[in-house]
Amino acid sequence: MPVQIPDDSDFSSFKDQCLSSDGWISRYNKGGVTVWCREEESKTVQKLKMRIVCKDVTAETLYDVLHDTPYRRKWDTNMIDTYDIGRLTVNADVGYYSWKCPTPLKNRDFVTMRSWLPLGSDYLIINYSVKHPQHPPKKDYVRAVSLLTGYLIQSNGANCSTLYYLTQVDPRGSLPKWVVNRVSQFVAPKAMRKIYKASLKYPDWKRKHNPNLKPWMFPEQNTLPCISVSELTVQRADSLENIDESGLTEEKTHHSDDEET
């Protein structure tokens, strides 16, 4: 299946999904964070939506935080590795991301095409999984599939913003129910608060680390190698290994970092 770079209608559709309440069930609402889930026809697909209001953080700062890979290495403790593969257009690229799954599950990784678009007081970043011939599945990871994942950032005035995160993922495995519950009740809210905290600290950090380097805003700064859409194909879930982890039981481990609220 050929890869298509998202157009205005794709961004508009994603924004509508973030703002719509139809079909979404609230699973968590506490401390300024709301998490919704959605029952999909396919039981293998996990669809979650989250929202957090970020006081004292501008929409522009949130947008920068989500783009700035060197800074992500500082705050995203679920990330194992990430790197950019190449650029497609001034607002689309291809990258790799791997993340730690709750023990004892296998860790997952993705190769995705990412696109971004500032729209007035809104900022959008969306991605979906693609296949790149030089980045096949790795032995120690389960290659998962992002059907549609992204962020919507909305400005709420001079110094306040709202962040939505929507993810529709096929983890390529039959997950136990405790994993799904833990993600919606614990992992997802914690991740949103982490982004918020990182955003509060970002302006000071950026002043000391290449303050003028923002290739997501200034395409002339982008030094990634150019790649063609023709080198990519859409990553179909049924072409990947599917593992059964439904029988795994939760390991009770204590992490002080996990007690954040």
Side-chain angles (χ1 to χ4, degrees), residues 32-93:
V33 179
T34 309
V35 180
W36 298 268
C37 71
R38 188 167 188 147
E39 289 293 330
E40 293 296 293
E41 290 178 16
S42 166
K43 292 297 180 186
T44 60
V45 174
Q46 309 296 319
K47 193 165 185 179
L48 285 175
K49 180 167 67 172
M50 297 148 241
R51 180 185 67 200
I52 186 170
V53 175
C54 300
K55 297 174 183 174
D56 300 318
V57 175
T58 66
E60 293 89 343
T61 295
L62 266 174
Y63 187 59
D64 289 348
V65 166
L66 295 170
H67 272 290
D68 203 325
T69 301
Y71 190 57
R72 189 173 203 114
R73 295 182 189 281
K74 291 186 66 67
W75 64 264
D76 189 353
T77 53
N78 290 324
M79 182 182 78
I80 299 169
D81 191 19
T82 188
Y83 53 83
D84 298 320
I85 294 169
R87 60 175 160 158
L88 295 161
T89 67
V90 293
N91 70 323
D93 62 16

Side-chain angles (χ1 to χ4, degrees), residues 3-57:
V3 167
Q4 292 186 319
I5 295 172
D7 59 20
D8 288 353
S9 66
D10 295 308
F11 283 104
S12 178
S13 171
F14 178 79
K15 178 181 173 180
D16 289 346
Q17 287 190 64
C18 287
L19 300 178
S20 170
S21 59
D22 291 348
W24 292 96
I25 304 159
S26 177
R27 292 291 304 274
Y28 178 98
N29 190 354
K30 192 165 129 187
V33 179
T34 309
V35 180
W36 298 268
C37 71
R38 188 167 188 147
E39 289 293 330
E40 293 296 293
E41 290 178 16
S42 166
K43 292 297 180 186
T44 60
V45 174
Q46 309 296 319
K47 193 165 185 179
L48 285 175
K49 180 167 67 172
M50 297 148 241
R51 180 185 67 200
I52 186 170
V53 175
C54 300
K55 297 174 183 174
D56 300 318
V57 175

Side-chain angles (χ1 to χ4, degrees), residues 55-226:
K55 297 174 183 174
D56 300 318
V57 175
T58 66
E60 293 89 343
T61 295
L62 266 174
Y63 187 59
D64 289 348
V65 166
L66 295 170
H67 272 290
D68 203 325
T69 301
Y71 190 57
R72 189 173 203 114
R73 295 182 189 281
K74 291 186 66 67
W75 64 264
D76 189 353
T77 53
N78 290 324
M79 182 182 78
I80 299 169
D81 191 19
T82 188
Y83 53 83
D84 298 320
I85 294 169
R87 60 175 160 158
L88 295 161
T89 67
V90 293
N91 70 323
D93 62 16
V94 177
Y96 173 86
Y97 180 88
S98 55
W99 62 290
K100 299 173 196 164
C101 286
T103 307
L105 271 62
K106 284 191 169 185
N107 294 325
R108 261 65 177 174
D109 69 355
F110 300 84
V111 171
T112 61
M113 187 194 73
R114 180 182 62 157
S115 260
W116 55 94
L117 187 68
L119 269 179
S121 59
D122 293 343
Y123 298 82
L124 295 103
I125 305 171
I126 59 178
N127 76 55
Y128 66 86
S129 285
V130 295
K131 287 169 75 170
H132 188 286
Q134 293 173 15
H135 299 271
K138 298 182 177 183
K139 182 179 66 173
D140 298 330
Y141 292 90
V142 176
R143 177 63 50 90
V145 177
S146 166
L147 301 170
L148 178 65
T149 297
Y151 300 93
L152 165 66
I153 306 161
Q154 294 196 305
S155 176
N156 295 344
N159 208 28
C160 184
S161 51
T162 300
L163 173 66
Y164 291 85
Y165 175 64
L166 186 149
T167 179
Q168 186 175 1
V169 167
D170 187 333
R172 298 316 295 148
S174 302
L175 300 178
K177 193 167 180 59
W178 65 263
V179 171
V180 180
N181 290 337
R182 186 176 170 196
V183 166
S184 62
Q185 298 294 314
F186 174 72
V187 177
K190 182 183 168 194
M192 295 298 275
R193 292 189 180 104
K194 232 174 223 178
I195 295 172
Y196 180 24
K197 289 180 180 178
S199 299
L200 288 167
K201 297 175 182 176
Y202 180 73
D204 282 343
W205 181 88
K206 190 61 176 172
R207 272 192 284 273
K208 302 167 190 167
H209 300 84
N210 295 314
N212 299 315
L213 183 63
K214 295 184 179 183
W216 54 93
M217 289 178 64
F218 309 111
E220 65 276 8
Q221 296 178 345
N222 196 324
T223 57
L224 288 174
C226 290

